[in-house]
Amino acid sequence: MCPYSGDMEGDKMSESPSQIGWSLVTPDVNSASEFREIAADFGDPLEMLREAISNSMDAGATEMHVSFMVESVAGARRLVVRMTDNGCGMDRETLSRHFWGLGHSTSREDPRKIGEKGHGTKTYLRSEQIHVRTQKEGKACEAICNTPMTMLHANKLHEVHVREMEPFLDGHNGTSITLIGYNDNKRADFTQDNVTDFVLWRTKVGSIEPIFGIQPRQAFRFFLRCFDETERELPYGHPFPPQTPPIAELFAQFPLDASQRFVKRFPFPSIALHDHPEVRFDAIYSVEGDLAKRSYNPMICERRRAIAPGEPTHKYRVGDRYGLWICKDFIPVVRKNNWIRSFGEGSNAYVLLHAFVNCQQLLLTANRGDIANTEPALLAELEASVARQVEEVDQALKNADYHVLRGLEDEHHTVQQDRAEFERRKREVRRRRFLAYNGSYLWEPRNEAELYTLFVILTCLHNDLVDFKLVDYNTRASIDALAVPTSSNCNADEQCFFVEFKKLLERDVNHTLRFLRYLVCWDISQAVLDGTAVEGIEEGDRRLLEREEADGIPSYFLKKPGDRVRIEVIRLKELMKRKLDLEFE
């Protein structure tokens, strides 16, 4: 029984442990295991960069340079990451205790700062060597740590060597961090485009503060270089496209794709929660068409193109990135598209949204990858408030006739398609083969439907052209037509048989052959010679083409060895020439 349970007698409850013979136990921490787990908890290797940027800004830096290079280290090619800033730097105690220790953060008590857990620099442990140089108020020191993960996996604490050094910066403070062999030397993720995308979407450099008119507490310039690329400065603030003019004006300018270019923003600054009035949040909902997104985001892959597994690209689909992001410190943390209860038309309409909700009262997980540590009641009210805002945005779009715009586009597009189709078909008519016959025109068939039409016209004009007459035609059925002998009553069910129409007789027929009596084709493929096997869809449904000739007149049959029933093939092109002396010009 617990010594402090309610079942204890009142006089014993007042006794101190030392008075009744208890010994004091201090909980022990497996430090190596904790360091190892926290370092591994940051799944994306680029998260290291997010933590480094936050630390530099918390240190008051106004400039930061980051490079990812491949260099020869001890005779082997290694990924080398260098990060330098002009922040306040660290003294020896801060470097030893706060940088290398666990859970020590100088930013925790300052609400203006980003860091709060003291975990971020532990992502650096996924390196073969970490070298830190720092200078503060004219004094400099450095630290080196070799093979930290090797030691931690052996359940030993990594060793850090620290010493004072001569000042290496000319008259100012700052810190330089070099990581050798980071991320097991895997460098595919560190291309210029991919790192730039991460910086602008998942770090403080891509803060959404500017869209609310909030000025950062200090100017901050960020420079990036990846491998052989030229170093370039990334702009501060998350990218948003400019808003477009009113819908009527936009449609007049771009009648075919106005909705794809449409951009309209709906800001909700500093909104207080009803049941948690001390909690405020900022939200921005940017409604953007597909072309608008592509105008500023080069990482979106081509439309209608799936990204194959293992394909060497970091591009993504719109649905993989857009929707609703929840932020803290105005940095996106996690996407919550399930908070969007109804928006637009269709289940994937959320991709129209380029939306962010920032709340400083959210509690993040240790790796800053989720908001799951936040009080459930607060999260539930925030979600409900966001859902109401999304519905308000949706209604505003309907009131502004945005959905009508989509309809106008479809209508205009249909008209344009019809006009283009009309011109295309006129050009094709000029190239088609035809003949004047019986006061009208006949056209050489291009497909099965036109073959059937020509056959019906000819057999109506010449009822002795073939030995059967059609009594039913259905393109949705497995076999095209029912027929009876020419001399038969059309209602004589027992005399009905199947007739199939094919523009060109090929080796494969996508129907069963055993029920056919006739197969009407315009021509026979050059690959189907006398004695060639023609196969139906049933297993073993295989027949040979036989060519017979009587008085110089050829006939064609599909015959199965050992079967007396033959399928007669009517080659209409040849039949017209022989019996009617008709040939297309």
Side-chain angles (χ1 to χ4, degrees), residues 25 31 35 41 44 101 142 167 194 217 263 269 307 360 407 459 572:
V25 174
S31 300
F35 272 102
D41 199 28
D44 188 339
E142 66 178 331
N194 194 47
R217 65 178 183 270
V263 178
I307 299 176
Q360 290 302 107
T459 53
L572 191 58

Side-chain angles (χ1 to χ4, degrees), residues 313-332:
T313 179
H314 293 99
K315 292 195 172 187
Y316 43 76
R317 296 170 298 181
V318 171
D320 295 330
R321 174 58 60 90
Y322 285 83
L324 177 68
W325 284 88
I326 309 302
C327 312
K328 184 174 183 180
D329 300 307
F330 297 94
I331 306 172

Side-chain angles (χ1 to χ4, degrees), residues 187-433:
R187 48 257 198 192
D189 289 333
F190 304 111
T191 63
Q192 189 91 9
D193 288 343
N194 194 47
V195 177
T196 298
D197 182 75
F198 184 88
V199 169
L200 295 179
W201 278 85
R202 303 299 303 273
T203 77
K204 189 65 174 178
V205 173
S207 169
I208 61 170
E209 289 171 294
I211 204 70
F212 296 104
I214 301 173
Q215 297 299 320
R217 65 178 183 270
Q218 78 233 21
F220 187 76
R221 302 180 68 189
F222 181 82
F223 298 84
L224 175 67
R225 182 186 179 191
C226 296
F227 308 124
D228 294 333
E229 299 283 344
T230 302
E231 183 183 68
R232 64 173 183 249
E233 181 177 0
L234 303 188
Y236 184 84
H238 186 79
F240 287 92
Q243 297 191 83
T244 47
I247 284 177
E249 183 178 337
L250 184 64
F251 180 70
Q253 188 176 1
F254 303 103
L256 288 177
D257 54 14
S259 65
Q260 299 296 309
R261 301 171 183 271
F262 178 84
V263 178
K264 186 172 178 60
R265 286 194 286 275
F266 299 85
F268 293 83
S270 192
I271 304 298
L273 295 178
H274 180 272
D275 295 336
H276 299 78
E278 77 284 3
V279 176
R280 290 183 172 271
F281 70 95
D282 300 275
I284 181 71
Y285 304 92
S286 182
V287 181
E288 302 169 3
D290 188 73
L291 289 176
K293 293 183 179 73
R294 294 173 188 277
S295 69
Y296 67 88
N297 189 345
M299 296 299 286
I300 301 175
C301 65
E302 296 176 15
R303 281 175 284 193
R304 301 182 183 88
R305 179 183 179 275
I307 299 176
E311 183 178 354
T313 179
H314 293 99
K315 292 195 172 187
Y316 43 76
R317 296 170 298 181
V318 171
D320 295 330
R321 174 58 60 90
Y322 285 83
L324 177 68
W325 284 88
I326 309 302
C327 312
K328 184 174 183 180
D329 300 307
F330 297 94
I331 306 172
V333 176
V334 62
R335 247 191 353 163
K336 287 289 185 180
N337 288 337
N338 59 309
W339 286 17
I340 303 173
R341 297 172 186 172
S342 62
F343 180 79
E345 300 172 351
S347 59
N348 65 338
Y350 70 87
V351 299
L352 279 172
L353 289 176
H354 182 196
F356 300 89
V357 172
N358 184 82
C359 181
Q360 290 302 107
Q361 281 69 37
L362 297 176
L363 298 181
L364 307 184
T365 52
N367 64 355
R368 200 183 170 90
D370 207 340
I371 55 176
N373 289 347
T374 307
E375 177 191 346
L378 191 158
L379 270 186
E381 186 178 5
L382 180 61
E383 177 182 349
S385 298
V386 168
R388 287 193 296 269
Q389 290 177 348
V390 171
E391 291 173 3
E392 185 176 331
V393 170
D394 192 39
Q395 189 58 51
L397 292 176
K398 292 175 181 176
N399 293 341
D401 293 334
Y402 173 76
H403 300 296
V404 174
L405 172 63
R406 298 292 299 272
L408 290 174
E409 277 182 0
D410 291 341
E411 180 181 325
H412 184 83
H413 192 255
T414 300
V415 171
Q416 295 295 100
Q417 282 182 319
D418 289 348
R419 182 179 293 113
E421 176 72 1
F422 179 64
E423 296 299 326
R424 182 187 67 81
R425 291 172 70 173
K426 283 197 305 183
R427 290 192 299 269
E428 285 190 0
V429 164
R430 299 189 190 102
R431 295 193 295 265
R432 288 191 64 183
R433 292 158 59 89

